[in-house]
Amino acid sequence: MYKRQQLVGTDPATGKEKWRTEKNIGDTTVESAGPSLVRVRGYAGDGGTRFDQLLKPGTGKVQADVPEGLDNLSCPFDQAKTLVCTSQNRLVALDSTSGKELWRLEDDQADGRFAPDVTASWHGRIYARTSSTTAVVLDARTGKDRPAGLDVAPVLVNDYQGLVLVGRELLAYPTRG
């Protein structure tokens, strides 16, 4: 017997159900998409229709559809306003409230730019490498280059420090702003 599967939102304090999807769902991934949204992606139980949406977790209401072609990419929140979607040959920035695509870099673009290897994103900055020795920082909202400061690409960043992996050593550098 097939058991109906639905996505359910619950109140974290009481555990009581707040909402439930109307449609059956199949294989689904739910991840944070900022302070007020979650990203839900997977296959609907109605024959395998693919979906990728930003939902309000308190109500289950769809805020926006994620642009097509990003369903296999993880899109971490930069803790400011942007979802940073990345793969080996593509970097796409989405507004974290509307899901609107802000910009993209893909290998072999006409302007000669290509998608760098993203290591971290934090507060409007995307940290990446274009080679084993060259670090870059991009503005998360525009995709434009920003001054990198040090020639390192942190793997984890917060208000106080950036952690950089150098060989087998993890080094901490202070952050500014």
Side-chain angles (χ1 to χ4, degrees):
M1 183 168 137
Y2 175 74
K3 183 176 180 183
R4 185 176 178 170
Q5 297 177 353
Q6 294 174 295
L7 189 61
V8 177
T10 59
D11 184 316
T14 65
K16 291 186 178 182
E17 184 177 309
K18 294 179 76 174
W19 56 268
R20 175 181 297 265
T21 57
E22 293 180 20
K23 294 183 178 181
N24 290 347
I25 58 170
D27 183 25
T28 303
T29 301
V30 179
E31 57 194 9
S32 174
S36 61
L37 296 174
V38 293
R39 180 182 181 195
V40 179
R41 58 191 166 126
Y43 293 94
D46 62 358
T49 305
R50 187 89 176 135
F51 63 90
D52 193 353
Q53 300 171 316
L54 299 178
L55 301 181
K56 293 183 178 189
T59 63
K61 300 288 183 209
V62 175
Q63 177 75 17
D65 288 320
V66 173
E68 284 190 38
L70 302 181
D71 52 337
N72 291 323
L73 302 182
S74 178
C75 299
F77 178 54
D78 76 346
Q79 301 299 312
K81 300 178 185 175
T82 311
L83 300 175
V84 179
C85 307
T86 185
S87 71
Q88 288 183 337
N89 60 358
R90 182 171 29 173
L91 173 56
V92 181
L94 305 177
D95 181 83
S96 66
T97 58
S98 69
K100 178 183 174 215
E101 184 174 313
L102 301 171
W103 56 271
R104 74 171 47 215
L105 284 175
E106 293 184 285
D107 288 356
D108 301 323
Q109 285 189 184
D111 64 1
R113 293 186 81 190
F114 60 94
D117 181 23
V118 175
T119 59
S121 59
W122 177 257
H123 284 205
R125 292 183 178 101
I126 298 172
Y127 301 91
R129 294 202 152 283
T130 58
S131 71
S132 63
T133 59
T134 306
V136 296
V137 179
L138 303 177
D139 183 286
R141 301 299 287 178
T142 66
K144 303 288 185 210
D145 290 335
R146 293 182 69 162
L150 298 172
D151 196 26
V152 295
V155 293
L156 187 61
V157 183
N158 68 16
D159 288 328
Y160 307 103
Q161 60 191 353
L163 297 179
V164 178
L165 190 58
V166 178
R168 295 185 67 165
E169 270 187 293
L170 192 59
L171 306 175
Y173 289 88
T175 58
R176 291 178 272 153

